[in-house]
Structures are given as structure tokens and as C-alpha cells.
Amino acid sequence: MNEHLFKIEIAYALPTVQSLLVVHVAEGATIQDCIEQSGILLKHPEVDLKTNKVGIWSRTRKLTEQVEDGDRIEIYRPLIADPKDVRRRRAEKAKEEGRANKITGGRP
């Protein structure tokens, strides 16, 4: 029996380098199957599928979900800082430097 193979990309990016691997998997393969088959876990041992989130085309998915032909699976790194806190600090700094109104936060 000749089974249909899907072409899937696996992406993982560090601040200085990006890994983009192509893997051919059988129809019905899960995200976890694809990641394990790609060998990216050997290349990047810091990736832990129990803690790192994954997604397809920038949408978070579960490891047990099946893939479709042409999907790009992305392995996400944990955030270093909370984006809301960073924005809040940047706004406070702008107020202190006089680049923003101290009451409204808008331009002076």
C-alpha cells in the first residue's frame, strides 16, 4: 500500500539563529510525531515539549493535533519579559523624560 506523505516544515528560532527543517510524514501524523521525526530535538536539546508551546502558522496548537500538507510547525521559546510590563515601563520612562503628558500619557 502506498501511503500519502505530507511535506511539513519545523521552525525554531533563537535570537541569533533559526532552524527550519523539512520533513515528510504519513497522513494522520501529529505535531509531536513531526517534531520527533525531524530531529530538531537533537539539534536543540534545550527544547522541552512539556514546557515549550507549539503552533502552526502562528496559532498555538496541541501536540496531539494532526497536521495537514504544507503546515509549518513552530516551536516557541518562553518569553523573557511580560510584554505588558515592558510597555508600562516604556510609558513611565517617556513621562519622566517629558516625551509624554504626566497625566494622560499622550503627547505633550
Side-chain angles (χ1 to χ4, degrees), residues 1-59:
M1 186 168 112
N2 189 8
E3 52 181 53
H4 187 289
L5 294 179
F6 289 165
K7 181 180 176 183
I8 306 296
E9 292 181 338
I10 311 290
Y12 179 68
L14 295 169
T16 57
V17 66
Q18 175 181 326
S19 294
L20 186 62
L21 306 173
V22 175
V23 63
H24 293 87
V25 298
E27 187 174 353
T30 65
I31 292 173
Q32 185 166 355
D33 295 336
C34 297
I35 292 171
E36 290 172 352
Q37 186 176 332
S38 73
I40 200 161
L41 298 176
L42 297 173
K43 187 175 182 180
H44 295 284
E46 69 275 11
V47 173
D48 180 3
L49 294 180
K50 292 177 184 154
T51 57
N52 288 80
K53 291 188 178 193
V54 298
I56 295 178
W57 295 111
S58 302
R59 293 183 180 262

Side-chain angles (χ1 to χ4, degrees), residues 31 49 51-66 71-77 79:
I31 292 173
L49 294 180
T51 57
N52 288 80
K53 291 188 178 193
V54 298
I56 295 178
W57 295 111
S58 302
R59 293 183 180 262
T60 306
R61 304 285 186 190
K62 293 181 181 177
L63 289 170
T64 56
E65 290 187 37
Q66 292 185 354
D71 279 349
R72 182 183 69 205
I73 298 170
E74 301 154 340
I75 303 171
Y76 306 120
R77 292 181 289 124
L79 293 176

